[in-house]
Every structure is written in structure tokens, then in C-alpha cells.
Amino acid sequence: MTGGGRGIGRAIVDALAEDAWVAAVDLGFPHGAGAAQRHAEVDVTDSAAVERAVSEVTRERGGLDWVVCAAGITRDHVSWKMPDADWQSVIDVNLTGVFNTARAVAPHLRKSTAGRLVFVGSINGLRGKFGQANYAAAKAGLVGLARTLALELARDGVTVNVVAPGFIDTPMTENLPEPLRAATVARTPLGRVGRPEEVAAAVRFLCSGESGFITGTVLPVDGGQLLDGVQA
Ligand code: NAD
């Protein structure tokens, strides 16, 4: 589990730990590691560090079955004012970090009899978002990555899917100005922000045996926000 230290990642750790032994990686764990049995400080943009972390877990546990990538950052600017560094860091964490993880775990998932790979994307990768060219491009890239991995890993029975949250209450969104928050809620048919546990429940389903015939899909968890503009 990447990005397991807080927010949606932490909620996923706690949900998966109800059925499984869980190892979490993140840049840090200032609030502890929740229900994770192992945790380590790993930067997902460092492919060698990711490889080492995966080796340690698979050596200790003899393999792995489910891998969830939730590490992510935002650095918002309108496109024509986007600094190189903020374009690059968002692509590095949100897309290359997921690729680094998928490449490291793929050989182990192929040996599992219940291999599951789940990426936490975003509805903004499906529809675009003002001020988030870097983030939307990275999250859209995740969908192409997941679909390709779904094809490559299907012969080994491994499924690969994306969960695409809408507006979820986490440290990532807590500093959003109140008018923006209210406007987002107003455009959400269910009329509220989501909870990290609601994203975690979707991830848990996609890791479960019940989802074994679902691969290469994107599951929005967005209170209907993608329907914005659709006439009732
Ligand atoms: P968050 O900021 O609370 O948590 C993100 C976690 O990722 C943090 O613990 C952070 O330390 C970790 N992380 C960042 N860079 C990392 C790196 N290089 N290596 C390892 N870990 C790193 O955010 P969140 O809201 O819980 O978001 C989790 C995921 O959900 C992200 O991928 C985000 O893009 C996605 N998402 C969030 C929302 C939302 O509304 N909160 C909506 C759509 C998608």
C-alpha cells in the first residue's frame, strides 16, 4: 500500500487489514501506521527504494497478493503559469511512482492465485480540471497504465483497476477555500463530500474474491459528480 500514512491511503490500510496482513509505505508516518503490520518510509519516485521495499515484504511473507497505489500530490496552477518543477513533481509521484510500484510488484502478483492491483486515480483524470493540468494528465495516464497492465497480467489471473474519487475529506482537500468547497458540494448530486472510508470500501471490493471478473475498469466514487451537467 503506497501513501498509507494518512487520508484515503490510511483508510484503505485499515479496511484491508480486516482481511489481510498489510504493509504500508509513505514519505512519513507522523500519525502512526494505523492497522498496518509493517510500515516503511519510501518515496515512490525512487524506483530502487520501491524495489527494496517490495523485496523485503516478499522475503518476509513469501509473496504478495494485493497492491494498492494511493500516494499522490497536487501542485495547482493554471497551465500557462505552471512551473516546470510543479509539472514534473506531480507526474513523478502520481504517474511514475505508480509505474515504479507496478513494475516492482508485477512478478510477485503473477505468482499469486489472487493477484489484485488497484490504483487511486481521480475523476479529474477523466474530465479535466481547471488549474490541474499536471494532476489531470497524471491521473488520466494512470487509466492507460492500468488498462495496459490489465492486458499484460490477465493471463496470470491478476486484475488491475482504478478507483476514481471525487471530492473526499482528507488533508489534501482541507485547505480548499470554503467557497470552492461549497461550489463542489453544490455540483455533487449526493450533496456532500465523500469520506476516505467510502473510497476504501470500493478498493476493498476490488481486492476481494467477489471482483475476480472485473479488470481494466475505472470505478468512480464521487457522489455522482461526473454527472454534473447531465439534465435530469
Ligand atoms: P493526502 O495528501 O492526505 O495523502 C497522500 C499521501 O501520499 C500522503 O500521506 C503523502 O505523504 C503520500 N505521498 C506523497 N508523495 C509521496 C511519495 N513521493 N512517496 C510516497 N508517498 C507519498 O491525500 P488523499 O486525499 O488521501 O489522497 C490519496 C490519493 O487519492 C491521491 O492519489 C489523490 O490524488 C487521490 N484523490 C484524492 C481526492 C480527494 O478529494 N482527497 C480526490 C481524488 C483523488
Side-chain angles (χ1 to χ4, degrees):
M1 171 79 229
T2 78
R6 70 179 203 187
I8 291 171
R10 164 60 66 84
I12 295 170
V13 164
D14 292 347
L16 296 185
E18 290 178 28
D19 307 309
W21 184 98
V22 179
V25 299
D26 203 308
L27 292 177
F29 292 84
H31 311 294
Q37 280 86 349
R38 289 279 179 284
H39 66 282
E41 290 183 15
V42 176
D43 181 341
V44 293
T45 66
D46 179 346
S47 59
V50 172
E51 290 280 353
R52 274 196 304 278
V54 170
S55 295
E56 276 165 30
V57 168
T58 51
R59 210 176 312 119
E60 180 179 347
R61 301 293 300 174
L64 47 79
D65 297 315
W66 308 341
V67 177
V68 181
C69 298
I73 59 170
T74 52
R75 298 285 183 271
D76 297 358
H77 307 275
V78 71
S79 297
W80 53 93
K81 293 183 181 169
M82 177 78 69
D84 286 353
D86 286 343
W87 169 264
Q88 200 57 52
S89 59
V90 169
I91 299 292
D92 286 349
V93 176
N94 297 17
L95 181 55
T96 309
V98 175
F99 174 71
N100 289 340
T101 307
R103 181 175 55 188
V105 300
H108 303 285
L109 290 178
R110 294 183 66 203
K111 290 183 203 148
S112 167
T113 52
R116 299 277 189 274
L117 190 49
V118 181
F119 301 158
V120 179
S122 167
I123 58 168
N124 294 345
L126 306 175
R127 63 173 189 183
K129 176 76 175 175
F130 188 97
Q132 289 199 323
N134 48 2
Y135 185 81
K139 295 296 192 183
L142 272 195
V143 176
L145 178 61
R147 289 184 173 146
T148 299
L149 286 162
L151 291 170
E152 292 177 350
L153 294 170
R155 70 190 64 175
D156 299 302
V158 179
T159 69
V160 187
N161 293 290
V162 177
V163 167
F167 190 176
I168 310 297
D169 230 340
T170 71
M172 184 182 268
T173 51
E174 71 188 358
N175 293 326
L176 209 68
E178 190 45 43
L180 260 179
R181 196 182 173 87
T184 307
V185 169
R187 288 199 311 270
T188 303
L190 286 179
R192 63 175 177 88
V193 299
R195 290 180 288 109
E197 294 74 21
E198 292 174 304
V199 180
V203 172
R204 189 176 175 194
F205 166 68
L206 289 172
C207 289
S208 74
E210 279 147 39
S211 69
F213 204 51
I214 301 173
T215 197
T217 62
V218 181
L219 174 57
V221 182
D222 69 341
Q225 224 195 114
L226 278 177
L227 300 173
D228 184 34
V230 178
Q231 298 300 310

